[in-house]
Amino acid sequence: MKQLVFLFITLLIANSVCAQELIDDEEIQQAPKKIDSTRTQNAKKVDGVAAVVGDYIVLDSDVDKEYLQLQAQGVNTKDIKSCELFGSLLERKLYAHQAVQDSLQVSDSEIRKNVDYQVEQFLAQSGKSMKELLEFYKKDDEKSFREDMFEINKTNQLAAKMQAKIVDEIEITPEEVRMFFEKIPKEERPTFGTELKVAQIVAEPKVSEEEKQRVINRLKEFKADIIENGASFRSKAILYSEDPQSGRQGGKLGSLNRDQPRMVKEFREVAFKLQEGEISDPFETEYGYHIISCDKIRGKEVDVSHILLFPQVSTEALKEAKERLEKIRQRIVEGKISFADAAREASDEKETRGDGGQLINPTTQDYNFELTRMEPELYAQIQNLKDNEVSLVLKEEDRTSKIKFKILMVTDRINEHEADYARDYLKIKKLALDEKKIKAIAKWQEEKILDTYIKISGEHRNCEFSSNWLKK
């Protein structure tokens, strides 16, 4: 749903992308030479230019689109002034402009892949056809629609990279954290909500060697049919791949970069060893068994497609895993072994096993989960547990239909409380670091505004900006 909302918000401003190239004659004459006037030779003025920030244009209508974006997110815009949104637009353009000046790079192939995903998600979740989508957003054809989305995504990524660069090397010392905390009046110190530490033990049903070999043989048959009989890899993927997203696209995963983060290690090793047009042998990852087709090689990037099959788990294996975990639970309840020791001894989840089953909060990268910000699924599983109580055996199924069983325990609880320097040091450190980053961004903005060509037009000059956009 988050992706859907993001796409909807993105599409709301799609019409402004091309319009941002439409600079009127007065602006072309007054702007520095770095604005390429050849881009506007055939342009028609379809919207008033509210501002020029370096190479970027802000249109009068962009403020209205900002309101629509916020409303699409469910934000009450009644008390939000147009000048505030206009100032936010100026900041975004300044970031993107400076990112280009600093030669920050974004991957066009990754952006196009993201656009493909956004469109696919929108069509799937809205139930609209592409024709209906184009009519709704007043686009003549799919190509121009995707190009508009590409430009929007690229600008957003450039701005994000510039923001990250500004604060990337900012660090904070323990002394700075202490001074930050001590300057907060006691009555204004933050209150932190109830936090829990949660541990789990996981039992995964075992797949038989016969079933693994069956899947491998099936993939070998696909490869042989493609190579020896000229069968279509795309058709095989559509008909048989158990990856629902890429399967509908004929197995296409788009372009992969050798340095791309979060790519499964085994997948990377196979994908970047293939020659163009070559199909891999079957191999295993944590998601199942694959064969990969190398469609095109472009330097560090390769276009690949894959077919994914999941080995099936037998009823007997499911029963064995559940009974195994029930016995572990009984030993813990009877006090014969601690939860942490049982996790180290018997859990099938390698990510948590070494820490005695302790879950790591993906947001904070520590063991604490704030109750009000916990993922709904995890909250539902532990909400009725008392401290050090072991849950019943729970069955869980992921997006690939892979089943596992688990037991959970709340290993520690800190009730809602006023910030305490010793106990909440990490959270206070984050607040102090955030403040330091905000100050660094404000200083950067102040300097870059003075160094960048900026022109504010019309009634927008009457705004009371928090930054010196009018260069007074």
Side-chain angles (χ1 to χ4, degrees):
M1 183 56 70
K2 290 181 180 177
Q3 290 91 343
L4 179 59
V5 171
F6 174 77
L7 173 63
F8 176 68
I9 294 169
T10 299
L11 295 177
L12 287 172
I13 59 172
N15 288 326
S16 71
V17 174
C18 291
Q20 287 176 0
E21 303 296 328
L22 311 180
I23 310 172
D24 61 30
D25 292 339
E26 179 185 352
E27 296 296 346
I28 293 172
Q29 293 170 5
Q30 294 185 26
K33 291 181 180 180
K34 60 185 174 184
I35 296 181
D36 185 359
S37 63
T38 61
R39 295 156 66 192
T40 65
Q41 288 175 352
N42 299 317
K44 297 178 182 178
K45 184 176 179 180
V46 295
D47 202 352
V49 175
V52 179
V53 181
D55 291 335
Y56 287 85
I57 304 301
V58 179
L59 302 174
D60 287 326
S61 61
D62 287 342
V63 176
D64 295 331
K65 292 184 178 71
E66 286 290 296
Y67 275 113
L68 290 176
Q69 292 178 53
L70 292 172
Q71 290 162 6
Q73 298 175 75
V75 176
N76 184 348
T77 59
K78 181 180 177 182
D79 297 325
I80 300 178
K81 298 177 181 179
S82 62
C83 283
E84 293 177 43
L85 295 187
F86 183 63
S88 177
L89 278 168
L90 296 177
E91 289 178 7
R92 212 173 307 157
K93 303 305 181 187
L94 182 65
Y95 288 131
H97 168 75
Q98 193 59 47
V100 174
Q101 305 307 304
D102 288 2
S103 300
L104 299 186
Q105 300 294 317
V106 293
S107 169
D108 286 359
S109 62
E110 281 299 306
I111 294 170
R112 293 194 187 280
K113 184 178 177 181
N114 195 38
V115 168
D116 290 342
Y117 178 74
Q118 290 169 0
V119 172
E120 181 183 335
Q121 288 293 102
F122 184 83
L123 293 175
Q125 297 186 40
S126 70
K128 290 182 179 294
S129 67
M130 178 57 72
K131 182 179 178 182
E132 290 173 318
L133 193 62
L134 296 176
E135 289 174 353
F136 185 79
Y137 290 106
K138 298 180 176 60
K139 290 295 176 183
D140 295 330
D141 55 68
E142 184 177 345
K143 182 180 179 182
S144 63
F145 173 66
R146 287 180 180 273
E147 285 303 313
D148 281 355
M149 289 188 62
F150 172 83
E151 293 299 332
I152 292 168
N153 275 268
K154 187 169 186 175
T155 299
N156 288 343
Q157 284 199 23
L158 283 170
K161 279 210 165 188
M162 191 67 245
Q163 289 174 326
K165 181 182 177 183
I166 297 168
V167 300
D168 185 48
E169 296 183 359
I170 294 178
E171 297 179 346
I172 195 161
T173 65
E175 179 62 16
E176 287 176 308
V177 177
R178 184 189 63 78
M179 292 175 63
F180 167 82
F181 183 73
E182 289 182 351
K183 76 178 182 182
I184 304 175
K186 192 173 188 309
E187 63 275 9
E188 295 179 14
R189 287 178 182 171
T191 298
F192 296 124
T194 300
E195 291 183 336
L196 308 176
K197 290 182 180 178
V198 182
Q200 69 180 25
I201 300 174
V202 174
E204 296 181 352
K206 308 301 181 185
V207 178
S208 69
E209 292 302 317
E210 293 79 10
E211 174 61 16
K212 292 179 182 178
Q213 193 59 50
R214 182 192 70 80
V215 171
I216 292 171
N217 291 341
R218 186 72 168 138
L219 290 170
K220 285 181 177 179
E221 290 172 7
F222 293 160
K223 178 179 178 179
D225 196 22
I226 295 166
I227 293 174
E228 297 171 10
N229 303 319
S232 166
F233 191 101
R234 181 176 184 276
S235 296
K236 295 284 187 188
I238 291 172
L239 290 171
Y240 303 112
S241 181
E242 294 179 295
D243 179 349
Q245 185 172 329
S246 72
R248 290 193 297 268
Q249 307 296 323
K252 288 189 175 297
L253 295 173
S255 294
L256 303 179
N257 190 293
R258 188 179 294 274
D259 301 322
Q260 186 174 327
R262 297 184 181 179
M263 191 188 306
V264 177
K265 177 177 177 285
E266 297 86 352
F267 199 96
R268 175 189 284 110
E269 288 176 352
V270 174
F272 288 95
K273 285 181 181 177
L274 296 175
Q275 300 298 313
E276 195 168 297
E278 187 179 2
I279 299 174
S280 75
D281 290 329
F283 66 97
E284 183 183 11
T285 71
E286 61 188 276
Y287 297 103
Y289 287 83
H290 316 247
I291 54 173
I292 299 177
S293 170
C294 180
D295 303 326
K296 192 171 185 62
I297 297 176
R298 292 192 302 272
K300 282 190 174 184
E301 293 188 345
V302 293
D303 291 350
V304 300
S305 303
H306 83 142
I307 298 174
L308 172 67
L309 295 182
F310 306 131
Q312 300 301 306
V313 176
S314 68
T315 303
E316 291 77 14
L318 289 170
K319 181 181 178 182
E320 184 278 331
K322 184 178 180 183
E323 290 179 350
R324 174 160 48 95
L325 192 56
E326 285 174 341
K327 290 177 181 178
I328 294 170
R329 179 184 183 276
Q330 190 61 33
R331 290 176 65 202
I332 298 170
V333 170
E334 291 175 355
K336 294 179 178 178
I337 190 172
S338 70
F339 194 99
D341 286 343
R344 295 185 186 99
E345 177 185 297
S347 182
D348 291 330
E349 188 173 62
K350 60 183 180 181
E351 293 85 1
T352 60
R353 185 170 56 215
D355 286 331
Q358 289 290 161
L359 294 177
I360 294 177
N361 187 330
T363 303
T364 61
Q365 295 301 308
D366 61 20
Y367 295 131
N368 296 316
F369 291 81
E370 191 168 341
L371 199 58
T372 57
R373 298 183 181 180
M374 187 176 287
E375 290 183 0
E377 184 178 8
L378 180 59
Y379 176 78
Q381 293 170 340
I382 58 89
Q383 62 176 327
N384 295 322
L385 285 180
K386 298 175 182 177
D387 294 353
N388 298 313
E389 178 185 2
V390 185
S391 75
L392 297 175
V393 174
L394 304 171
K395 180 181 177 181
E396 190 169 88
E397 189 170 347
D398 66 17
R399 64 179 183 84
T400 66
S401 299
K402 185 177 180 180
I403 295 173
K404 63 183 179 182
F405 299 94
K406 66 180 183 179
I407 54 175
L408 299 110
M409 173 185 279
V410 175
T411 59
D412 191 21
R413 182 189 304 266
I414 301 175
N415 293 322
E416 181 177 280
H417 61 283
E418 179 186 291
D420 177 87
Y421 182 74
R423 183 167 55 185
D424 301 307
Y425 178 79
L426 290 178
K427 289 190 284 292
I428 295 167
K429 179 182 178 181
K430 183 180 183 304
L431 293 175
L433 183 59
D434 288 344
E435 181 185 72
K436 190 172 182 179
K437 288 179 178 180
I438 289 170
K439 289 179 178 178
I441 287 174
K443 181 180 178 183
W444 179 92
Q445 248 189 43
E446 183 181 349
E447 294 172 353
K448 294 304 177 185
I449 285 174
L450 295 176
D451 292 342
T452 305
Y453 175 81
I454 297 171
K455 181 173 174 61
I456 312 296
S457 304
E459 63 183 14
H460 300 288
R461 295 184 63 83
N462 297 325
C463 287
E464 295 183 4
F465 299 112
S466 57
S467 298
N468 187 27
W469 295 107
L470 297 175
K471 300 189 179 183
K472 292 181 179 178

